[in-house]
Each structure stands twice: as C-alpha cells, then as structure tokens.
Amino acid sequence: GVRVYTGRRYSLIFWMKDCIHSCVTNATPWYEAAAAAGDVDAMAALARKLSSGMDGAGLGADAARAAELLRRAAGAGHPDSMTRLGVMYEAGS
C-alpha cells in the first residue's frame, strides 16, 4: 500500500466496456459467457447486475434469473452468493 503521512489520499477507479453498445445498453456479455462456462465470480456479478437492473429504477431487472445464478454460485461454494441469496429469501424475493 501507499502510506500518506500528511494530506489526503484519493483513489480513482475507471470502469471500461468493450464497445459503445455495451455502454448504451449497460450490457455485460463477458459476464454472460463466463457464467455460462461455470465461473462463479461471473455468476455473482451478473446476478448483482440483474438484481438491480440497468439503473436505480430497476430497468432490465430479472430477479428470477438473478436468484438462479446465485443458487448456482452458492452451490459451488461462493460465499458472497450464499449471503445475497439468503438476503433475497429473507426479503421474499
């Protein structure tokens, strides 16, 4: 890490997409492909995206598909997916 003895430390994070279509539609085709191949981190990330949709209003949300992805990832031992799935069940989703 970096030690800051005086002043403040700031971090800047860039999120990049592979094409303009992905930016406009908030698509993540790399998650789809990786999740289909069995990558549990991709399943968890895609489920998170599907839970909330493209924006704060839930546009494009798919709770049923998100739950299925979380079930698969949780079944494979992904701890964050286990927690998120439990929260969904508790909320009645």
Side-chain angles (χ1 to χ4, degrees):
V2 176
R3 293 184 184 184
V4 178
Y5 295 105
T6 62
R8 294 187 178 145
R9 177 179 177 200
Y10 294 94
S11 296
L12 181 62
I13 300 172
F14 289 96
W15 295 95
M16 300 192 177
K17 297 224 174 179
D18 61 344
C19 66
I20 191 68
H21 179 265
S22 292
C23 294
V24 172
T25 64
N26 200 26
T28 50
W30 50 90
Y31 283 150
E32 296 278 354
D39 183 317
V40 293
D41 290 321
M43 288 179 208
L46 185 55
R48 190 176 313 112
K49 180 179 177 281
L50 290 169
S51 293
S52 61
M54 287 176 49
D55 58 10
L59 178 66
D62 187 346
R65 180 135 185 266
E68 177 56 32
L69 287 164
L70 287 174
R71 275 195 281 294
R72 287 178 48 207
H78 192 266
D80 184 51
S81 295
M82 293 175 189
T83 302
R84 292 179 56 77
L85 186 61
V87 168
M88 284 181 80
Y89 285 152
E90 186 176 52
S93 300

